[in-house]
Amino acid sequence: RERVSSGINAEYGETITAYSVCNTRSSDAEPTEKDSWFPGYAWTFLVCWRCNSHLGWKFIAVSSSTSPSVFYGVRRSAVSVTTPGQRRDDDVTLWDWQQSGD
């Protein structure tokens, strides 16, 4: 059962990390280091660009010497795998394997 939280700690074990995502945007909230899972990184919510549903978190390096400078934590429950023929017009794509070359 998914726990509901207004912060970051509820879904740590149910998160996939990625270096890039598409069709998303950061929430309007300022990134914060408070309760970050990753020391040296601030976080903000990652939401669907269409409906503003919570998809995960964007992590931003606090120092310019930290690498990677940005990465994402995507909630497992926000991910479903489909082939191009199975996609509906209203599906939101987080990764496009053909586009990324993987």
Side-chain angles (χ1 to χ4, degrees):
R1 185 170 198 190
E2 183 177 314
R3 290 187 288 168
V4 177
S5 173
S6 60
I8 193 169
N9 290 320
E11 299 182 53
Y12 180 72
E14 296 297 320
T15 303
I16 301 165
T17 55
Y19 291 111
S20 77
V21 294
C22 57
N23 296 330
T24 64
R25 68 175 188 81
S26 299
S27 71
D28 296 332
E30 281 294 315
T32 180
E33 291 179 75
K34 184 178 189 300
D35 297 325
S36 181
W37 298 332
F38 304 99
Y41 287 88
W43 63 274
T44 189
F45 290 107
L46 184 69
V47 298
C48 172
W49 66 275
R50 284 189 188 166
C51 67
N52 289 324
S53 293
H54 176 229
L55 301 175
W57 302 267
K58 179 179 181 179
F59 293 91
I60 303 122
V62 176
S63 167
S64 61
S65 64
T66 302
S67 182
S69 58
V70 173
F71 68 95
Y72 304 87
V74 180
R75 296 171 49 230
R76 265 188 211 278
S77 61
V79 175
S80 64
V81 177
T82 60
T83 63
Q86 294 174 311
R87 291 188 186 139
R88 299 183 326 241
D89 289 340
D90 61 342
D91 284 342
V92 173
T93 303
L94 291 176
W95 295 276
D96 188 333
W97 302 114
Q98 290 177 330
Q99 194 175 55
S100 68
D102 293 336

